Amino acid sequence: MAAPPDNDVLWARSLHRSHNGSPALTGVSLGVREGEVLAVSGPRGCGKTTLLRCLSGQLVPQQGEVWFDGVPVHTMGALTRERLRRDRFGWIDPEPHLVPELTAWENTALPLLLRGTSHRAAKKAAQEWLERLDIGAVARKRPHALLQAQRQRIAVARALITTPSVLFADEPTAPLHRADRAQVLRTLTTAARSHGITVVLATHDSEVATLADRTVPLLDGRHADTPDAADAPDTTGTAAPTRTTDAEGRPECSLSV
């Protein structure tokens, strides 16, 4: 088991995962640099969500390795992975999952309150994030009184409030109209860069992908440029991220399967 490169905060090698007998990931490898905004693109059903869930420790790959900050996630027990997700990772779903009995600021502050942050400090931080997302005026309203776009912005604020090391965003603007989508994504990427947060963003929207530093395309659970499974050689357990350079000569990690 080889350790990942020092400059990759997330590193995956030859990930395989099936759902109900159907392959969702087939030998995917990649590296994500610290502070990078990486978009994983592709049509629905191509394996984007499964990849994010493997990288974040929600799923354990059936084959392959996942490393975070030099530590193997794929060998961790369930409780250790849960602590990792709670303490170091953030997650945004396509649909906002808010607590209906709590106000907008309470939903936003919930991760801090669960960590033992004082009520006053948590409320102040929540209000600041809601203001950044242009919904400070709804801080005292409950989810049922809000528009879908407002609820999704609260979910984004809640994911950012703990300043996670890595934020996983699974189609975070899917329920939003175009204007709302652009504003939320600008806020998300700007906040991530200003706070040094690494972002792994799953999207089928080419406009969303343009806001990322780099895009990795998936198709049918593998890199979009990979030959069909019938024609591809068996590289299970031997693939590794390969390094190339982008148009400006900077190192770039590409998928290898």
Coordinates of all heavy atoms in Angstrom, one line a residue, residues 90-132:
G90 N -17.2 18.7 5.2 CA -18.5 19.3 5.0 C -19.2 18.6 3.9 O -18.6 18.1 3.0
W91 N -20.6 18.6 3.9 CA -21.3 18.0 2.8 C -22.5 18.8 2.4 O -23.3 19.3 3.3 CB -21.7 16.6 3.2 CG -22.4 15.8 2.2 CD1 -23.8 15.8 1.9 CD2 -21.8 14.9 1.2 NE1 -24.0 15.0 0.8 CE2 -22.9 14.4 0.4 CE3 -20.5 14.5 1.0 CZ2 -22.7 13.5 -0.7 CZ3 -20.3 13.6 0.0 CH2 -21.4 13.1 -0.8
I92 N -22.8 19.0 1.1 CA -24.0 19.6 0.7 C -24.7 18.7 -0.3 O -24.1 18.2 -1.2 CB -23.7 20.9 -0.1 CG1 -22.9 21.9 0.8 CG2 -25.0 21.6 -0.5 CD1 -22.4 23.1 0.1
D93 N -26.0 18.4 0.0 CA -26.8 17.5 -0.8 C -27.5 18.3 -1.9 O -27.6 19.5 -1.9 CB -27.9 16.8 0.0 CG -27.3 15.6 0.7 OD1 -26.7 14.8 0.0 OD2 -27.6 15.4 1.9
P94 N -28.0 17.6 -2.9 CA -28.8 18.3 -4.0 C -30.0 19.0 -3.4 O -30.5 20.0 -3.9 CB -29.2 17.2 -4.9 CG -28.2 16.1 -4.7 CD -27.8 16.2 -3.3
E95 N -30.6 18.4 -2.4 CA -31.8 19.0 -1.7 C -31.4 19.4 -0.3 O -30.7 18.6 0.4 CB -32.9 18.0 -1.7 CG -33.5 17.6 -3.1 CD -34.3 18.8 -3.7 OE1 -34.8 19.6 -2.9 OE2 -34.4 18.8 -4.9
P96 N -31.9 20.5 0.2 CA -31.5 20.9 1.6 C -32.3 20.1 2.6 O -33.5 19.9 2.5 CB -32.0 22.4 1.7 CG -33.1 22.5 0.6 CD -32.7 21.5 -0.5
H97 N -31.5 19.5 3.6 CA -32.2 18.8 4.7 C -32.0 19.6 5.9 O -31.0 19.5 6.6 CB -31.5 17.4 4.8 CG -31.6 16.5 3.6 ND1 -32.8 16.0 3.2 CD2 -30.7 16.2 2.7 CE1 -32.6 15.3 2.1 NE2 -31.3 15.4 1.7
L98 N -33.1 20.4 6.2 CA -33.1 21.3 7.3 C -34.0 20.8 8.4 O -34.9 20.0 8.1 CB -33.5 22.7 6.9 CG -32.7 23.4 5.8 CD1 -33.3 24.7 5.5 CD2 -31.2 23.4 6.1
V99 N -33.7 21.1 9.7 CA -34.6 20.7 10.8 C -35.8 21.7 10.8 O -35.6 22.9 11.0 CB -33.8 20.8 12.1 CG1 -34.7 20.4 13.3 CG2 -32.5 19.9 12.1
P100 N -37.0 21.2 10.6 CA -38.1 22.1 10.4 C -38.5 22.9 11.6 O -39.0 24.0 11.5 CB -39.3 21.1 10.0 CG -38.8 19.8 10.5 CD -37.3 19.8 10.4
E101 N -38.1 22.4 12.8 CA -38.4 23.2 14.0 C -37.5 24.3 14.3 O -37.7 25.2 15.2 CB -38.5 22.2 15.2 CG -39.5 21.2 15.2 CD -39.1 19.9 14.3 OE1 -37.9 19.9 13.9 OE2 -40.0 19.1 14.1
L102 N -36.3 24.3 13.6 CA -35.3 25.4 13.9 C -35.4 26.5 12.9 O -35.8 26.3 11.7 CB -33.9 24.7 13.8 CG -33.6 23.6 14.8 CD1 -32.2 23.1 14.6 CD2 -33.9 24.0 16.2
T103 N -35.0 27.7 13.3 CA -34.9 28.8 12.4 C -33.7 28.7 11.5 O -32.9 27.8 11.6 CB -34.8 30.1 13.2 OG1 -33.5 30.1 13.9 CG2 -35.9 30.3 14.2
A104 N -33.7 29.6 10.5 CA -32.6 29.6 9.5 C -31.2 29.7 10.2 O -30.3 29.0 9.9 CB -32.8 30.8 8.5
W105 N -31.1 30.6 11.2 CA -29.8 30.8 11.8 C -29.5 29.5 12.7 O -28.3 29.1 12.8 CB -29.7 32.1 12.6 CG -30.3 32.1 14.0 CD1 -31.5 32.6 14.4 CD2 -29.7 31.5 15.2 NE1 -31.7 32.4 15.7 CE2 -30.6 31.8 16.3 CE3 -28.5 30.9 15.5 CZ2 -30.3 31.4 17.6 CZ3 -28.2 30.5 16.8 CH2 -29.1 30.7 17.8
E106 N -30.5 29.0 13.3 CA -30.2 27.8 14.2 C -29.8 26.6 13.3 O -28.9 25.8 13.7 CB -31.5 27.5 15.0 CG -31.8 28.5 16.1 CD -33.2 28.3 16.7 OE1 -34.1 27.8 16.0 OE2 -33.4 28.7 17.9
N107 N -30.4 26.4 12.1 CA -30.0 25.4 11.2 C -28.6 25.6 10.8 O -27.8 24.6 10.7 CB -31.0 25.3 10.0 CG -32.1 24.4 10.2 OD1 -31.9 23.1 10.1 ND2 -33.3 24.9 10.4
T108 N -28.2 26.8 10.5 CA -26.9 27.1 10.0 C -25.9 26.9 11.2 O -24.8 26.3 10.9 CB -26.8 28.6 9.6 OG1 -27.7 28.8 8.5 CG2 -25.4 28.9 9.1
A109 N -26.2 27.2 12.4 CA -25.3 27.1 13.5 C -25.2 25.8 14.1 O -24.4 25.5 15.0 CB -25.7 28.1 14.6
L110 N -26.1 24.9 13.7 CA -26.2 23.5 14.3 C -24.9 22.8 14.5 O -24.6 22.3 15.6 CB -27.3 22.7 13.6 CG -27.7 21.4 14.3 CD1 -28.3 21.7 15.7 CD2 -28.7 20.7 13.4
P111 N -24.1 22.7 13.4 CA -22.8 22.0 13.6 C -21.9 22.6 14.7 O -21.2 21.9 15.4 CB -22.1 22.2 12.2 CG -23.2 22.4 11.3 CD -24.2 23.2 12.0
L112 N -21.9 23.9 14.8 CA -21.1 24.6 15.9 C -21.7 24.3 17.3 O -21.0 24.0 18.2 CB -21.1 26.1 15.7 CG -20.3 26.6 14.5 CD1 -20.3 28.1 14.4 CD2 -18.8 26.1 14.5
L113 N -23.0 24.3 17.4 CA -23.7 24.1 18.7 C -23.4 22.6 19.1 O -23.2 22.4 20.3 CB -25.2 24.4 18.6 CG -25.6 25.8 18.3 CD1 -27.1 25.9 18.0 CD2 -25.2 26.7 19.5
L114 N -23.4 21.7 18.2 CA -23.2 20.3 18.5 C -21.7 20.1 19.0 O -21.5 19.1 19.7 CB -23.5 19.4 17.3 CG -25.0 19.3 16.9 CD1 -25.2 18.5 15.7 CD2 -25.8 18.7 18.1
R115 N -20.9 21.0 18.5 CA -19.5 20.9 19.0 C -19.2 21.6 20.3 O -18.1 21.5 20.9 CB -18.5 21.6 17.9 CG -18.4 20.8 16.6 CD -17.4 21.5 15.7 NE -17.3 20.8 14.5 CZ -16.3 21.1 13.6 NH1 -15.5 22.2 13.8 NH2 -16.2 20.4 12.4
G116 N -20.2 22.2 20.8 CA -20.1 22.9 22.1 C -19.8 24.4 22.1 O -19.5 25.0 23.1
T117 N -19.8 25.0 20.9 CA -19.6 26.4 20.7 C -20.7 27.1 21.5 O -21.9 26.7 21.5 CB -19.6 26.8 19.2 OG1 -18.6 26.0 18.6 CG2 -19.3 28.3 19.1
S118 N -20.4 28.3 22.1 CA -21.4 29.0 22.8 C -22.5 29.5 21.9 O -22.3 29.7 20.7 CB -20.7 30.2 23.5 OG -20.4 31.2 22.6
H119 N -23.7 29.6 22.5 CA -24.9 30.1 21.7 C -24.6 31.4 21.1 O -24.9 31.6 19.9 CB -26.0 30.2 22.7 CG -27.3 30.5 22.0 ND1 -27.7 31.8 21.7 CD2 -28.4 29.8 21.6 CE1 -28.9 31.8 21.2 NE2 -29.3 30.6 21.1
R120 N -24.0 32.3 21.8 CA -23.7 33.7 21.2 C -22.7 33.6 20.0 O -23.0 34.2 19.0 CB -23.2 34.6 22.3 CG -22.9 36.0 21.9 CD -22.4 36.8 23.1 NE -22.2 38.2 22.7 CZ -21.8 39.2 23.5 NH1 -21.7 38.9 24.8 NH2 -21.6 40.4 23.1
A121 N -21.6 32.9 20.2 CA -20.7 32.8 19.1 C -21.2 32.1 17.9 O -21.0 32.4 16.7 CB -19.4 32.1 19.6
A122 N -22.0 31.0 18.1 CA -22.6 30.2 17.0 C -23.6 31.1 16.3 O -23.6 31.1 15.0 CB -23.2 29.0 17.6
K123 N -24.4 31.9 17.0 CA -25.4 32.7 16.3 C -24.7 33.8 15.5 O -25.1 34.1 14.4 CB -26.3 33.4 17.4 CG -27.4 34.2 16.8 CD -28.3 34.7 17.8 CE -29.5 35.5 17.2 NZ -30.4 36.0 18.2
K124 N -23.6 34.4 16.0 CA -22.9 35.4 15.3 C -22.3 34.9 14.0 O -22.4 35.5 12.9 CB -21.8 36.0 16.2 CG -21.0 37.1 15.6 CD -20.0 37.7 16.6 CE -19.2 38.8 16.0 NZ -18.3 38.4 14.9
A125 N -21.7 33.7 14.1 CA -21.1 33.1 12.9 C -22.2 32.7 11.9 O -22.0 32.9 10.7 CB -20.3 31.8 13.3
A126 N -23.3 32.2 12.4 CA -24.4 31.9 11.4 C -24.9 33.1 10.7 O -25.2 33.1 9.5 CB -25.5 31.2 12.2
Q127 N -25.1 34.2 11.5 CA -25.6 35.4 10.9 C -24.6 35.9 9.8 O -25.1 36.4 8.7 CB -25.8 36.4 11.9 CG -26.6 37.7 11.4 CD -28.0 37.4 11.1 OE1 -28.8 36.8 11.8 NE2 -28.4 37.8 9.9
E128 N -23.3 35.8 10.0 CA -22.4 36.3 9.1 C -22.4 35.5 7.8 O -22.4 36.0 6.7 CB -21.0 36.2 9.7 CG -20.7 37.2 10.8 CD -19.4 37.0 11.5 OE1 -18.7 36.0 11.2 OE2 -19.0 37.9 12.3
W129 N -22.6 34.2 7.9 CA -22.6 33.3 6.7 C -23.9 33.6 5.9 O -24.0 33.6 4.7 CB -22.5 31.8 7.0 CG -21.0 31.5 7.2 CD1 -20.4 31.1 8.3 CD2 -20.1 31.4 6.1 NE1 -19.0 30.8 8.0 CE2 -18.8 31.0 6.7 CE3 -20.2 31.6 4.7 CZ2 -17.7 30.8 5.9 CZ3 -19.0 31.4 4.0 CH2 -17.8 31.0 4.5
L130 N -25.0 33.7 6.7 CA -26.3 34.0 6.0 C -26.2 35.4 5.3 O -26.8 35.5 4.2 CB -27.4 34.0 7.0 CG -27.8 32.7 7.7 CD1 -28.8 32.8 8.7 CD2 -28.2 31.7 6.6
E131 N -25.6 36.3 5.8 CA -25.4 37.6 5.2 C -24.5 37.5 3.9 O -24.9 38.1 2.9 CB -24.7 38.6 6.1 CG -25.5 39.0 7.3 CD -26.7 40.0 7.0 OE1 -26.7 40.4 5.8 OE2 -27.5 40.2 7.8
R132 N -23.5 36.7 3.9 CA -22.7 36.4 2.8 C -23.5 35.8 1.6 O -23.2 36.1 0.4 CB -21.5 35.5 3.1 CG -20.4 36.1 3.9 CD -19.2 35.2 4.1 NE -18.2 35.8 5.0 CZ -17.8 35.2 6.1 NH1 -18.3 34.0 6.4 NH2 -16.9 35.8 6.8

